[in-house]
Amino acid sequence: MWSTVWFSFTFFELYAYFMIYSFLGWAMESTYVSINAKKWVNRGFINGPFCPIYGTGALLILLALKPVSLLFLGGFVIATVVEYLIGLILEKLFHATWWDYSQKPFNIKGRVCLERSVEWGVLTAFVMRVVQPVIADFVAAIPRAWGEFAATLLLAYLAVDTTITVLHILRFNEKLASLSEAHDALQKK
């Protein structure tokens, strides 16, 4: 499985990139939000130190833009579409908003905004030119047997963490619905 080649990358390389960028995105966003909040804030959908939206965006950018020199524009478009779609999916599935840009100018339903999209374009150009070559060398240097073992453990961890997170959110939504019903019943009395 790990040796399967897809778009000139092995599945192991793609998964390693996904996990590394999910971690780096989580670290970057958690640090940024924590500095602004002046307290530690664990950002992301799941509990662990990963933010899969960053890994997803990074993989799409890596696959789509590797042969293209329009990194800023490609990153601007791809990251904006990914952010919008994931925001929409999370809202529809869990009836909650994970981020809101509605106070920013040129936003679309608060899910994306021009300012953040420009930042995504700049970040994409920087990552593809500076960070990705370092990460590619790092992943290439991982002994395959150890790397595949670690990847399998991380995949299991990610599956368990995501399952636990989704179950907690669903239970929380059920409790909110019960509280809403109780509130409505009290108001009627």
Side-chain angles (χ1 to χ4, degrees):
M1 168 177 118
W2 294 112
S3 299
T4 304
V5 176
W6 200 52
F7 288 96
S8 77
F9 295 100
T10 64
F11 187 72
F12 172 77
E13 290 169 324
L14 291 172
Y15 184 70
Y17 296 151
F18 172 81
M19 292 304 292
I20 290 168
Y21 284 114
S22 293
F23 173 76
L24 292 175
W26 169 85
M28 178 185 70
E29 188 164 327
S30 293
T31 301
Y32 176 78
V33 172
S34 296
I35 288 169
N36 287 334
K38 296 183 172 90
K39 65 176 184 169
W40 175 250
V41 178
N42 181 10
R43 292 290 293 179
F45 173 71
I46 58 178
N47 296 310
F50 299 101
C51 200
I53 189 172
Y54 286 95
T56 301
L59 282 187
L60 288 174
I61 286 166
L62 186 62
L63 294 171
L65 300 181
K66 188 174 183 192
V68 177
S69 60
L70 299 172
L71 293 175
F72 172 82
L73 182 59
F76 179 103
V77 171
I78 291 171
T80 300
V81 169
V82 167
E83 185 173 38
Y84 185 89
L85 290 176
I86 299 230
L88 176 66
I89 290 167
L90 290 174
E91 288 171 22
K92 296 297 180 195
L93 286 177
F94 302 110
H95 309 291
T97 302
W98 267 259
W99 59 86
D100 183 10
Y101 301 131
S102 58
Q103 301 304 314
K104 301 265 186 191
F106 306 108
N107 76 80
I108 302 173
K109 297 187 178 185
R111 293 184 191 111
V112 295
C113 68
L114 180 61
E115 177 185 338
R116 197 66 68 230
S117 295
V118 169
E119 291 171 353
W120 292 135
V122 170
L123 185 61
T124 296
F126 175 77
V127 166
M128 291 296 285
R129 295 277 188 226
V130 177
V131 178
Q132 178 56 26
V134 174
I135 289 177
D137 289 344
F138 172 76
V139 170
I142 297 172
R144 188 53 59 139
W146 285 103
E148 290 177 4
F149 177 74
T152 302
L153 289 179
L154 278 172
L155 186 59
Y157 166 79
L158 199 57
V160 169
D161 193 3
T162 301
T163 301
I164 289 170
T165 300
V166 168
L167 290 174
H168 282 163
I169 291 170
L170 292 174
R171 282 190 205 122
F172 181 73
N173 285 345
E174 288 173 5
K175 288 178 185 177
L176 283 178
S178 295
L179 285 173
S180 180
E181 288 174 15
H183 178 263
D184 290 346
L186 282 174
Q187 275 189 323
K188 286 179 183 176
K189 287 184 181 182

